[in-house]
Amino acid sequence: MESPPCVSIFLVLCVFIQSSTHGQSLGLEPVGRSRAVETKEALQETKTRFLLFEDETDKGCQIRLNHPDTLQRCGFNSSLPLVMIIHGWSVDRFLENWIWQMVAALKSGLAQPVNVGLADWLSLAYRHYTVAVRNARLVGQEVAALIQWLEESAQFSRSNVHLIGYSLGAHVSGFAGSYIGGKQKIGRITALDAAGPLFEGSSPSDRLSPDDANFVDAIHTFTREHMGLSVGIKQPIAHYDFYPNGGYFQPGCHLLELYKHITKHGLNAIGQTFKCSHERSVHLFIDSLLHASQPSTAYQCGDMASFSQGLCLGCKRGRCNTLGYHIRQQRQGKSKRLFLATRAQSPFKVYHYQLKIQFINHLEKPVEPTFTMTLHGTKEENQKITITLDEEITSNKTYSFLITLDVDIGELTMIKFKWENGAVWTNVWNTVQTIIPWSRRPLHSGLVVKTIKVKAGETQQRMTFCSENMDGLQLHPTQEKTFVRCDVNSKKLKRKIR
């Protein structure tokens, strides 16, 4: 009986646990670049079906290795690049819907046309996971054989090949790159949440690695661990490794979102919910094709904690890049880990801002308030954003954090900052006012917000905002203050905020 889609992730993890626990060897044959594929002698026919699509509504025309007439019949154009999609492990022997969505996006969303193909290896992917992993090497060999045959029969350059592999298909792409002989590599490999079980921690020759193509980029979207394992691979495997929302889990994919998926997917909602984060990598890539004018920018960073503080929004020396199809293909030293935030649905792009707020606490006790702020720009005003600090405000300290906006508000012109009402801090404030006589009250008797410094990730613009009313810098519970652009180098301003 066929396995229902809703258990796909569970099966991957269970298979891996079983193999590891019992010390089973998968018998994976080492792969190296020295092993060229003998296309004519070794592979007269392939178990992988290679389909070519002439338009976004086409269901595919099969290209057969060593049958040049199929190239002409299927409309292969050797003067155009070849983008080949490679699916992953299958639990139901059906091609997933995202494949047709990606084909349509590639055929209709590019200014320059490309050949769009699919490596259909369902007959080898619809197996026990460990068997499918072994078969991935064979499929990689067959993909390499096809590319070599295109070079020989159609004067087509392998540098014009772009393999897009999802899950286990990402490693198939890597094996294809490894099996091709000669000094020249294939042009590009894109890994969409490359499979983690049986690949995490393995040597570069046993998985996708930066050596498998001239340029390799990877999007990691489901690396959250369950019993020490994750569906998507966590370690860097490319020249640029993107970790949207940290790469652990994706917004809109929580089980609480199940009712929304039922409306969209009906009885398949449970399966869609379970693989939501894993498949988000695919939809982020498709989104980059459909919304090329709204590219999602990612920023090089050591970890998600630093990124969440807004500490990594710099773009100098190639420290940021565009996620998806239109990435800048730069190879600079070792793998780069890039982070970004996204929305829960397409278009996924958000606008990143680092805010640095300098507080001075003149109250007798540490406070841990909640703030809201409204950002005003040259294009529009944004809705209120809630900010909760991770630690108490004790004395003079600057706090840094990241905020994101779903819309482009233009150049930031004004910030409205409010200490939200809370019974505890209202009582503290009333007590302060009772104890301290008004006549002898210090100049600043609440929280003093000296400046708000902002860096916009997408424009790299730096701005400083000061209180609109410099005679009343203190902030009290329920009070909202307005901050406007200012020049921090002004001597008059420096005297005011001391």
Side-chain angles (χ1 to χ4, degrees), residues 154-423:
Q155 289 74 54
F156 182 74
S157 173
R158 67 184 64 178
S159 63
N160 286 329
V161 173
H162 179 187
L163 302 180
I164 302 175
Y166 168 59
S167 195
L168 188 50
H171 299 294
V172 170
S173 303
F175 295 145
S178 295
Y179 271 115
I180 287 184
K183 295 181 179 180
Q184 190 178 13
K185 301 178 183 180
I186 61 176
R188 177 182 174 187
I189 293 174
T190 297
L192 304 178
D193 212 31
L198 302 180
F199 294 99
E200 192 79 63
S202 61
S203 66
S205 62
D206 292 327
R207 57 165 172 80
L208 173 64
S209 77
D211 294 328
D212 295 327
N214 288 329
F215 183 77
V216 182
D217 57 307
I219 303 175
H220 306 254
T221 54
F222 195 22
T223 64
R224 175 176 288 181
E225 289 191 2
H226 298 276
M227 297 175 288
L229 307 170
S230 64
V231 173
I233 198 167
K234 293 179 292 184
Q235 68 188 96
I237 54 174
H239 295 109
Y240 282 86
D241 289 84
F242 294 82
Y243 295 84
N245 306 295
Y248 314 117
F249 195 72
Q250 300 305 309
C253 290
H254 196 276
L255 284 176
L256 296 176
E257 302 288 329
L258 178 60
Y259 73 94
K260 294 182 181 179
H261 293 162
I262 290 175
T263 302
K264 184 176 182 180
H265 302 287
L267 295 178
N268 292 324
I270 297 178
Q272 292 295 328
T273 302
F274 272 97
K275 65 180 182 179
C276 177
S277 284
H278 191 37
E279 196 174 295
R280 179 60 60 82
S281 58
V282 170
H283 297 290
L284 287 169
F285 191 86
I286 293 174
D287 185 75
S288 74
L289 291 162
L290 298 180
H291 300 98
S293 61
Q294 303 177 54
S296 292
T297 303
Y299 306 89
Q300 187 175 348
C301 201
D303 51 54
M304 187 59 184
S306 298
F307 181 74
S308 297
Q309 294 180 55
L311 301 178
C312 305
L313 297 187
C315 284
K316 292 182 179 179
R317 296 184 295 276
R319 295 184 62 84
C320 70
N321 209 329
T322 300
L323 177 142
Y325 185 85
H326 300 287
I327 186 175
R328 295 191 311 277
Q329 298 186 33
Q330 301 171 334
R331 295 178 55 178
Q332 299 178 348
K334 62 180 183 179
S335 298
K336 294 182 181 293
R337 289 163 49 95
L338 295 93
F339 294 80
L340 72 157
T342 71
R343 286 160 35 92
Q345 63 280 324
S346 180
F348 292 100
K349 178 184 178 63
V350 300
Y351 297 84
H352 301 78
Y353 293 87
Q354 178 196 21
L355 269 70
K356 295 174 68 175
I357 302 180
Q358 184 179 8
F359 289 102
I360 298 178
N361 183 5
H362 285 289
L363 297 172
E364 294 183 348
K365 296 182 179 181
V367 294
E368 194 174 359
T370 295
F371 302 103
T372 58
M373 61 170 54
T374 304
L375 278 61
H376 297 255
T378 53
K379 292 184 179 180
E380 64 178 274
E381 170 187 331
N382 195 60
Q383 297 296 318
K384 286 187 177 180
I385 301 169
T386 301
I387 298 172
T388 302
L389 302 180
D390 293 333
E391 55 184 308
E392 296 178 328
I393 301 174
T394 55
S395 57
N396 188 353
K397 187 172 182 180
T398 299
Y399 296 80
S400 177
F401 48 90
L402 176 76
I403 66 167
T404 60
L405 304 180
D406 291 350
V407 296
D408 180 11
I409 64 171
E411 185 174 340
L412 192 58
T413 58
M414 183 171 63
I415 299 174
K416 290 186 177 180
F417 192 78
K418 183 179 180 181
W419 180 349
E420 288 298 326
N421 187 21

